[in-house]
Amino acid sequence: MTATPVRPPGIAVLGSANMDLVAYVEKAPSRGETVTGQSFRTVAGGKGANQAIAAARAGGAVAMIGAVGDDDFGRRLRAALEGAGVGTERLRTAPGPSGIAQIVVDGEGHNAIVVVPGANGTVTELAPQDEAVIGAAGALLLQLELPLAGVLAGARAARARGVRTVLTPAPVQPLPDELLAVTDLLVPNEHEAAALSGERDPRAAARTLLDAVPEVVVTLGAEGCLHAVRGRELLTLPALTADVVDTTAAGDTFVGALAVALGEGRATADALRWATAASALSVELPGASTSMPDRAAIDARAS
Ligand code: ADP
Ligand code: NA
């Protein structure tokens, strides 16, 4: 008899799927101005889809909960998730357009972004089947590109079932106490940490955020990350050297890989190092969902 391999507990992602519409220009247009760009491409994105794809590529068993529109973008978003191995049974198709992000990248690599939520905006409550998927997972990944009511419903469903909640507070906005109360791990970047805590220094920000949640990881871009748990010393971890091409979704890659490593029961320091390796690899390739490394590549970079 062949033993069934032990499958790590799965990861549920309750979040956004957007089609990224990316125009590359020398200089971004100002009000009333028209400029001619160099190139244009469309690529699957949205923080939810990015984290789901990152976790699946890192080896996680991932289910995405959310909504796409009944348009061509919706079909492509679903296909991109499925192509990465993400389960889309609980990704609804809502009447109307998919979410989009209109992104202008200038010659210095800076970007300006408009997000139109589209179908993402319909995710204001969960179906019993969504709650069942969350209940069967080891962790629920959340961001703030869905309506707050939907995010809160997911976090509460997870908490009620003893499932760990991991919240990326982006786009950053004031977090209601009722959401913080059901957040196990908060993963802001340094700008989000500063905005949420009122503290410019990331260490001070992390300590302040520990008043509201039990565990915080602040990502620091090329400086790495820091990890804070109530009652323990802060741990800092440097980034791994990378040939930076495009830092889009570095944070989402980090969170996806971190969830996989923690779900496998790895110690926090080890899991953070693995996530650091994954995100270093992601900045070396253009794009978001197209630049997420697989498990073998992460292992090689982490060793
Ligand atoms: P976000 O994409 O959410 O703004 P960060 O910029 O903080 O998040 O990046 C997340 C992680 O990606 C960092 O903790 C780091 O490990 C990795 N990373 C980001 N930028 C670089 C870089 N220039 N070189 C190496 N690693 C990077
Ligand atoms: Na990238």
Side-chain angles (χ1 to χ4, degrees):
M1 230 173 64
T2 332
T4 310
V6 179
R7 221 161 154 49
I11 294 166
V13 179
L14 172 62
S16 58
N18 292 326
M19 190 57 77
D20 288 348
L21 314 175
V22 194
Y24 295 87
V25 300
E26 198 42 54
K27 196 186 154 297
S30 48
R31 180 185 291 184
E33 189 185 7
T34 300
V35 298
T36 299
Q38 289 138 342
S39 62
F40 175 75
R41 59 193 202 116
T42 56
V43 58
K47 297 194 76 66
N50 284 344
Q51 292 188 0
I53 290 171
R57 290 193 54 78
V62 183
M64 173 93 186
I65 305 167
V68 294
D70 61 0
D71 53 3
D72 186 47
F73 287 159
R75 288 183 283 280
R76 284 180 54 196
L77 287 165
R78 186 180 295 279
L81 285 157
E82 288 170 358
V86 174
T88 60
E89 226 159 87
R90 299 309 309 158
L91 185 69
R92 283 188 304 112
T93 297
S98 295
I100 63 99
Q102 178 83 64
I103 306 175
V104 175
V105 183
D106 71 21
E108 292 174 7
H110 296 294
N111 55 35
I113 306 177
V114 177
V115 173
V116 183
N120 297 298
T122 68
V123 186
T124 53
E125 56 189 14
L126 298 184
Q129 298 95 313
D130 298 325
E131 299 196 356
V133 166
I134 291 169
L140 174 66
L141 307 188
L142 302 152
Q143 320 78 33
L144 298 175
E145 288 186 343
L146 296 184
L148 203 50
V151 174
L152 194 52
R156 283 183 171 148
R159 173 61 60 90
R161 291 161 179 77
V163 174
R164 185 181 212 189
T165 57
V166 180
L167 174 63
T168 301
V172 72
Q173 54 196 271
L175 298 179
D177 290 342
E178 46 192 343
L179 179 58
L180 290 166
V182 287
T183 298
D184 295 311
L185 171 60
L186 187 67
V187 191
N189 67 20
E190 58 193 310
H191 311 292
E192 292 148 6
L196 291 173
S197 66
E199 299 279 358
R200 292 254 311 264
D201 173 53
R203 295 167 155 273
R207 286 198 197 89
T208 299
L209 293 171
L210 284 186
D211 291 339
V213 295
E215 186 172 7
V216 178
V217 173
V218 183
T219 64
L220 307 168
E223 300 299 312
C225 67
L226 67 87
H227 177 239
V229 186
R230 272 187 204 148
R232 283 203 236 147
E233 290 278 299
L234 286 185
L235 175 84
T236 59
L237 201 81
L240 292 168
T241 315
D243 281 324
V244 181
V245 172
D246 180 356
T247 60
T248 307
D252 293 330
T253 305
F254 182 95
V255 169
L258 182 65
V260 170
L262 291 174
E264 291 169 356
R266 298 205 208 180
T268 305
D270 189 28
L272 287 170
R273 181 172 169 80
W274 205 68
T276 297
S279 52
L281 285 161
S282 79
V283 304
E284 294 185 340
L285 289 171
S289 57
T290 44
S291 69
M292 287 151 180
D294 66 17
R295 201 174 173 88
I298 303 171
D299 282 341
R301 180 60 72 94
S303 67

